[in-house]
Amino acid sequence: MTTRTRMPHPGAPVRHDPRPVMPLPQEARPEARRETEYRPPSPIDVPRALAAHQRGAHDPSHLQRDGVVWRAMRTPLGIATLAVRPDRVRVRAAAWGPGAEWALDQLPRLCGGADDPRGFDAHHHPRVADAHHRHPALRIGRTDLVFDALASAIFEQKVTGLQAFGAWRMILTWCGERAPGPTPRPMFAPPAEWHLIPSWTWHRAGLEPPQSRTVVEASRRRASVERASTAASDGEERERVLTSLRGVGPWTSAETRIRAFGDPDAVSVGDYHLAHQVGYALTGARVDDEGMLELLEPWRGHRQRVIRLLMLGGAFEPRRGPRLAPEDHRSR
């Protein structure tokens, strides 16, 4: 077993935690397991940063069980399972599979350690200031897995979350790869070759043809898209790379940048609910996308941070009607 320990930041206080330390899950073959420990230099809300990457309650690639967050992923070095146990001052993690070292090296960024809130002024609006006061450790984590973030965002185009998450679960379970390690339940990493998934499998999963075609076409350009977007210097340049793909617009680009790169300024323009929610939280009334961008302008550079704080603030518009009924194209 290879054990790697990250030393705490010189200025980071180390406090004794009197609670008993729960061990990370063990495996019958301990030599297959890699470990690390990450001590953030400042407090980070790790569970919330990780939860943002779960695609529905039954995501086969993400699971929280008994204080451990499990993630199955396809890294540049191969498939990996990552088990993360955060506590007050440190994050302990174990990983299995060919991509284990990559997953452990990437852990600080996944937890939000690369998110820099300097320059963020919450006091432009009392609701944002209050949410920031109650959640000062909020950080935006990043997966650094560009195509999987893009694919999951495409799944969520123009459909309800129930439909998107159901299709995601089915495709990963049917076409993904079984995650290594002692996972609490069978878990699956995303497919290696999305473009080889046959049309009838997409149909059975309930993903509509425009979305499945977009995933398949984007998969054929996967290497160049990942290379160009990773090399891009800012969000605008990444936006140009991603929207060069047919079927990928501003909403999908923003969601991809948030998930893969932790973009603190990305705004998902075109979302069915977001503008209404932001408008209601900041003004007490609905606004459209243009109005939302105007309201968020004082926080440019941190607009996604503000959106997350508003969602944590709980100021949601009262429901005035039934939920949107999902439309199942498989019966056509």
Side-chain angles (χ1 to χ4, degrees):
M1 176 177 69
T2 301
T3 302
R4 299 149 9 105
T5 302
R6 297 187 186 278
M7 299 300 294
H9 187 275
V14 177
R15 297 184 294 273
H16 174 66
D17 190 345
R19 296 176 299 175
V21 175
M22 298 293 291
L24 284 162
Q26 294 292 335
E27 186 183 21
R29 298 187 303 108
E31 70 276 3
R33 165 175 150 156
R34 302 288 183 269
E35 293 183 352
T36 193
E37 182 177 291
Y38 167 53
R39 290 182 177 254
S42 60
I44 292 179
D45 188 345
V46 174
R48 202 177 299 277
L50 297 178
H53 298 292
Q54 183 172 4
R55 312 319 321 153
H58 305 289
D59 185 349
S61 66
H62 188 110
L63 171 67
Q64 182 172 349
R65 181 74 57 84
D66 299 329
V68 177
V69 178
W70 294 83
R71 283 184 56 80
M73 62 190 76
R74 185 172 298 280
T75 78
L77 301 182
I79 191 172
T81 299
L82 179 68
V84 181
R85 185 185 291 280
D87 60 30
R88 293 190 302 178
V89 297
R90 64 178 179 172
V91 181
R92 293 183 301 129
W96 297 260
E101 286 296 323
W102 186 96
L104 294 178
D105 285 339
Q106 200 270 339
L107 176 69
R109 298 188 294 280
L110 180 66
C111 294
D115 181 24
D116 186 0
R118 288 179 297 180
F120 172 59
D121 184 359
H123 295 92
H124 293 295
H125 192 282
R127 193 177 297 281
V128 177
D130 177 67
H132 182 58
H133 176 73
R134 289 186 289 112
H135 303 280
L138 175 72
R139 296 293 184 273
I140 303 174
R142 55 185 288 173
T143 67
D144 291 311
L145 299 173
V146 179
F147 190 81
D148 292 344
L150 174 61
S152 68
I154 294 170
F155 272 61
E156 297 167 27
Q157 290 176 343
K158 301 179 182 179
V159 296
T160 66
L162 183 65
Q163 291 171 290
F165 298 153
W168 177 258
R169 181 180 69 251
M170 293 177 191
I171 291 295
L172 263 62
T173 303
W174 295 342
C175 307
E177 185 173 347
R178 179 71 179 266
T183 57
R185 71 180 186 205
M187 296 182 67
F188 297 87
E193 304 290 346
W194 290 87
H195 61 280
L196 297 182
I197 299 174
S199 59
W200 56 86
T201 301
W202 294 110
H203 182 78
R204 286 180 58 208
L207 196 70
E208 297 193 5
Q211 282 71 53
S212 61
R213 284 196 299 267
T214 299
V215 175
V216 169
E217 292 180 11
S219 177
R220 295 192 175 104
R221 296 176 55 187
R222 176 174 185 163
S224 61
V225 169
E226 289 180 331
R227 184 168 54 251
S229 58
T230 301
S233 59
D234 55 28
E236 290 185 2
E237 189 174 345
R238 290 190 176 112
E239 169 104 353
R240 288 192 292 271
V241 172
L242 294 168
T243 55
S244 69
L245 297 167
R246 186 170 68 168
V248 175
W251 184 90
T252 308
S253 168
E255 288 293 313
T256 303
R257 288 183 282 122
I258 294 165
R259 300 171 195 189
F261 300 107
D263 189 334
D265 193 50
V267 181
S268 302
V269 174
D271 190 273
Y272 188 78
H273 298 289
L274 184 61
H276 299 164
Q277 292 173 334
V278 171
Y280 183 83
L282 294 178
T283 69
R286 285 188 170 196
V287 298
D288 57 13
D289 284 332
E290 184 177 349
M292 174 180 65
L293 293 175
E294 183 177 349
L295 289 172
L296 293 174
E297 184 60 31
W299 294 285
R300 178 171 286 276
H302 297 274
R303 293 177 295 180
Q304 178 59 211
R305 194 182 317 281
V306 171
I307 290 170
R308 294 202 176 186
L309 287 171
L310 292 176
M311 298 303 105
L312 289 174
F316 299 114
E317 182 181 22
R319 293 189 179 276
R320 293 186 173 87
R323 292 178 179 271
L324 180 67
E327 182 180 356
D328 192 344
H329 76 277
R330 290 173 292 185
S331 61
R332 296 174 189 166

